[in-house]
Amino acid sequence: MIKIKNISKIYNKGKFNEFIALKSISCQIETGSWTTVVGASGSGKSTLLKCLSGLERISAGEIYLDEEKISELSEKKLLLLRKNKISFIFQDYNLIEDLKMIENIFLDTKVDDSILTLANDWGVDDVLYRFPNECSGGQRQKIAILRALNQKSSIIFCDEPTGALDTKSSKEVLKVLKQINKERKTTIIMVTHNTLIEKISDYVVTVHDGEILSYEKNNLVTEVDDVQW
Ligand code: ADP
Ligand code: MG
């Protein structure tokens, strides 16, 4: 369970360009659930994900992960937590430009055949030995998702993970995420503009101007294949 208590995020605090991106937000995210975060551009969705995953420090409030207060961990402990428990699929992919795609996926871990099989299923097996700048946005996005899957974390934060993908590819990716969400009880927290993704989620959080406008449980969770895309 992730518990968020009155968290605020102020960028450039005390400077002329100070900006309050999150305004005393509270909510809870259940372990093993799929939570989708929606809201207009600039409403604070990415900021929320970055704060919850420890990529950004919050300005006020508290974040607990399974009863452990993670909002005040030292950099070292936070790094360890992120390495062991948390993966992040970035909106802008965040691939390392001078590593080949296959090195980006596996980093310092051994090559995992099940991930290579997925690369094959998703049609990116032929770009594994290319550098990121030799690939399309959709290919980069798939590689970034494979990197996150390879980490086998208990929580995956996904910031618009299908933004660069066509409908067919989006479905393939969502099906795999749904499968690990069900089988491994991986917690999925996903920002998206695709309203159809709300149908496959357990919870939908709507963010507006740095505040949570609504937090709704979906009582009719649909399988990826049963959604009319
Ligand atoms: P969303 O993901 O919903 O589009 P963001 O969380 O990226 O929104 O941004 C929320 C607001 O915070 C925006 O107005 C954005 O300009 C601002 N913001 C985001 N990151 C920074 C930053 N590093 N420094 C200053 N302002 C930022
Ligand atoms: Mg964003």
Side-chain angles (χ1 to χ4, degrees):
M1 169 98 85
I2 306 174
K3 269 192 210 145
I4 304 151
K5 276 190 174 170
N6 303 316
I7 65 163
S8 295
K9 173 67 186 178
I10 307 174
Y11 287 114
N12 306 315
K13 196 170 183 180
K15 299 193 184 137
F16 74 96
N17 53 351
E18 176 172 299
F19 185 83
I20 305 175
L22 296 177
K23 301 170 185 165
S24 198
I25 282 183
S26 299
C27 79
Q28 292 191 1
I29 293 169
E30 275 181 42
T31 303
S33 67
W34 179 310
T35 301
T36 294
V37 180
V38 300
S41 265
S43 57
K45 305 180 298 296
S46 295
T47 301
L48 179 61
L49 256 58
K50 285 178 189 165
C51 288
L52 296 187
S53 61
L55 282 165
E56 284 277 1
R57 290 277 183 185
I58 52 177
S59 311
E62 291 153 25
I63 304 172
Y64 295 86
L65 172 58
D66 303 332
E67 307 304 325
E68 184 188 14
K69 190 173 182 175
I70 60 165
S71 44
E72 280 162 26
L73 286 181
S74 65
E75 282 303 318
K76 212 170 157 184
K77 285 193 173 154
L78 202 56
L79 213 65
L80 214 61
L81 173 79
R82 295 219 317 267
K83 187 171 159 58
N84 296 329
K85 288 198 180 167
I86 295 173
S87 292
F88 202 106
I89 301 170
F90 293 87
Q91 195 167 5
D92 50 5
Y93 325 131
N94 245 20
L95 296 172
I96 302 169
E97 293 295 327
D98 53 4
L99 290 185
K100 293 193 174 130
M101 291 307 219
I102 189 156
E103 297 164 330
N104 263 291
I105 297 174
F106 296 110
L107 298 169
D108 56 357
T109 66
K110 3 186 246 301
V111 171
D112 175 337
D113 285 336
S114 69
I115 299 291
L116 289 180
T117 304
L118 270 183
N120 190 51
D121 293 347
W122 293 356
V124 285
D125 46 325
D126 55 343
V127 304
L128 290 175
Y129 290 90
R130 288 194 209 164
F131 289 100
N133 68 1
E134 298 166 337
C135 297
S136 71
Q139 289 165 337
R140 288 168 187 238
Q141 188 148 46
K142 286 179 184 173
I143 298 295
I145 296 168
L146 291 172
R147 173 178 61 185
L149 294 176
N150 180 54
Q151 290 163 353
K152 298 168 184 71
S153 312
S154 48
I155 308 172
I156 307 183
F157 291 93
C158 321
D159 199 350
E160 304 198 25
T162 60
L165 304 181
D166 58 28
T167 306
K168 178 173 169 283
S169 297
S170 299
K171 275 173 67 178
E172 286 168 351
V173 164
L174 291 168
K175 271 164 95 165
V176 172
L177 288 171
K178 194 76 184 175
Q179 190 185 354
I180 60 164
N181 169 244
K182 272 191 180 165
E183 290 173 3
R184 296 190 210 148
K185 304 276 176 269
T186 305
T187 306
I188 306 276
I189 304 167
M190 180 177 295
V191 167
T192 182
H193 281 291
N194 185 343
T195 49
L196 293 172
I197 293 180
E198 294 176 27
K199 295 186 191 293
I200 63 169
S201 322
D202 300 312
Y203 297 93
V204 179
V205 177
T206 306
V207 178
H208 177 74
D209 273 348
E211 293 180 287
I212 292 183
L213 203 62
S214 66
Y215 178 90
E216 286 170 352
K217 186 173 182 5
N218 178 9
N219 292 315
L220 264 177
V221 181
T222 313
E223 291 300 322
V224 176
D225 275 332
D226 296 335
V227 176
Q228 283 305 98
W229 298 88

